[in-house]
Amino acid sequence: MNLKQLSRMLDLSQTTVSRALNGYPEVSEETRRRVADAARRHGYRPNPSARRLATGKAGMIGYVMPTGASVDIDPHFVEFLSGLGDYARAHELDLVLSPAEADDEETTYRRIVANKQVDAVYISAPRHADRRIALVQQLGIPYIVHGRSEELDFDYPFLDIDNEAAFHDAARLMVQLGHRRIALVNGDETQTFAICRERGVRRALDARGLVLAPVMLRSVAMTEENGYRAARSLLMQDEAPTAIVCSSLIMALGVVRAARDLGRSIPRDLSLIAHDDVFPWLKPENFPVPLTTTRSSIRAAGQRIAERLAARISGQEAGALGEVWPVDLIVRSSIAGAPA
């Protein structure tokens, strides 16, 4: 079925049907649902070239993906991308990945905007005063940031979780259990999420007259091996931590392995809390000792980013809307009172 046949069947103009399928705000919600239902029932799929000519839209979301020998494929990113893809597939949107040298992403942003390859972009893993955000703001393309950047002199649209509150609550729980030597195994210290998590831990300790000493802090890429090395170096100190707060369930695998290798029992000798991005293949309740976690689904964040990008493309969302999700604290068996 083509657009003309679908329009005739619905007794609507081709323009109205096209606008309904592409989410234009001037089309009523009732008409949009009616058109979408009919298109689904009769297997109508818009021709991408025709859609671009008719609407000026490519029907594509863009992501500039850093590449190079120093860049690893991050399971957190893959899970986020799965959520974004779930929404995009169900709403006739495609995702375009544009590879770029890790130290020269700006050139690629300029190219894809100039060529009108995509209708909107999202930016992930923001850093302090992130230049990518300033650039896409200047280029005028719809965008959303997954996370937040500090020290920018303008507001911008974003979706983030409350990293500081989550890690404040985790560290506060450790203090309430009597722990005084609390360590943080964190992510990349140049990324805002890690900055906020460290800030949350420091705030919780400071409230009880404690400090996060430099020897109790490790900031590394979030892999199992890095978690192992970080935890091993912490636990081999003369004044080893009795509690660790960890930025990733993946790194927590390494922490558990290091504790086992050094003969430390969880939670008798070491209490452990980690952040859970809700991976379908790695569940905290299936750890050797069920793991206490701060929890927020990164896949759900991907779906929401795609939903908001679609709304910005169609004009249903505008402005510098910020969205911060609260984080759940799920208590399981990996924490206990501080050892005597």
Side-chain angles (χ1 to χ4, degrees):
M1 176 172 286
N2 59 34
L3 181 64
K4 183 177 181 180
Q5 292 168 327
L6 183 63
S7 303
R8 187 183 301 124
M9 183 187 71
L10 292 168
D11 196 24
L12 295 170
S13 71
Q14 293 184 44
T15 299
T16 298
V17 171
S18 176
R19 287 178 176 270
L21 290 169
N22 286 283
Y24 278 72
E26 60 265 30
V27 179
S28 72
E29 186 60 32
E30 180 183 352
T31 299
R32 190 162 25 246
R33 281 198 301 267
R34 181 181 164 216
V35 171
D37 289 345
R40 191 162 44 248
R41 284 197 314 272
H42 296 279
Y44 171 76
R45 293 289 184 274
N47 179 282
S49 297
R51 178 170 62 181
R52 184 189 286 250
L53 288 171
T55 66
K57 307 293 184 184
M60 295 182 181
I61 294 169
Y63 176 70
V64 175
M65 184 173 68
T67 60
S70 63
V71 178
D72 295 322
I73 297 298
D74 186 344
H76 303 84
F77 168 71
V78 174
E79 187 66 12
F80 173 87
L81 208 59
S82 296
L84 192 147
D86 288 342
Y87 183 93
R89 184 184 66 251
H91 292 80
E92 302 289 344
L93 289 169
D94 290 316
L95 177 64
V96 178
L97 300 180
S98 298
E101 288 290 336
D103 58 353
D104 188 28
E105 295 177 52
E106 294 183 21
T107 299
T108 304
Y109 277 109
R110 292 183 184 279
R111 174 174 57 78
I112 64 174
V113 172
N115 294 344
K116 298 183 178 180
Q117 293 176 252
V118 299
D119 301 316
V121 297
Y122 79 90
I123 295 172
S124 68
R127 302 175 185 274
H128 186 81
D130 200 308
R131 294 188 304 172
R132 297 172 300 169
I133 302 173
L135 176 62
V136 294
Q137 178 80 7
Q138 173 194 338
L139 294 174
I141 189 171
Y143 72 95
I144 290 180
V145 180
H146 181 215
R148 281 175 281 181
S149 180
E150 299 177 326
E151 300 300 326
L152 293 172
D153 60 2
F154 59 92
D155 295 327
Y156 55 89
F158 68 83
L159 171 68
D160 199 6
I161 64 173
D162 198 338
N163 285 291
E164 182 173 341
F167 276 61
H168 170 271
D169 291 350
R172 182 178 60 183
L173 178 56
M174 295 295 204
V175 173
Q176 289 170 343
L177 289 169
H179 293 278
R180 295 296 179 265
R181 299 196 303 276
I182 300 170
L184 171 62
V185 177
N186 206 358
D188 182 348
E189 64 186 356
T190 68
Q191 295 185 7
T192 311
F193 83 89
I195 294 170
C196 290
R197 291 176 181 182
E198 180 181 335
R199 188 180 297 154
V201 171
R202 289 187 183 280
R203 185 160 58 86
L205 297 184
D206 183 64
R208 296 299 183 95
L210 303 172
V211 296
L212 179 64
V215 295
M216 291 291 183
L217 175 63
R218 300 291 185 273
S219 296
V220 292
M222 294 192 295
T223 67
E224 191 272 349
E225 182 62 24
N226 282 343
Y228 175 81
R229 292 178 180 178
R232 189 176 178 91
S233 69
L234 287 165
L235 295 172
M236 291 182 69
Q237 296 177 151
D238 291 337
E239 292 290 317
T242 62
I244 291 177
V245 182
C246 183
S247 257
S248 163
L249 214 59
I250 294 172
M251 284 201 296
L253 289 170
V255 175
V256 170
R257 180 160 64 95
R260 184 191 64 222
D261 287 356
L262 295 172
R264 308 294 174 85
S265 172
I266 297 175
R268 186 189 64 214
D269 304 314
L270 177 69
S271 288
L272 176 61
I273 299 177
H275 183 67
D276 177 17
D277 287 293
V278 194
F279 297 112
W281 41 269
L282 181 60
K283 297 186 180 298
E285 59 269 28
N286 292 338
F287 272 57
V289 176
L291 198 61
T292 296
T293 58
T294 56
R295 182 180 69 183
S296 183
S297 169
I298 196 169
R299 181 183 286 253
Q303 292 172 337
R304 179 60 177 154
I305 291 281
E307 180 184 19
R308 287 187 57 190
L309 285 172
R312 296 183 81 84
I313 291 169
S314 67
Q316 293 175 298
E317 178 183 308
L321 176 64
E323 188 174 344
V324 180
W325 289 1
V327 178
D328 299 323
L329 178 61
I330 312 298
V331 177
R332 299 187 182 88
S333 306
S334 65
I335 59 173

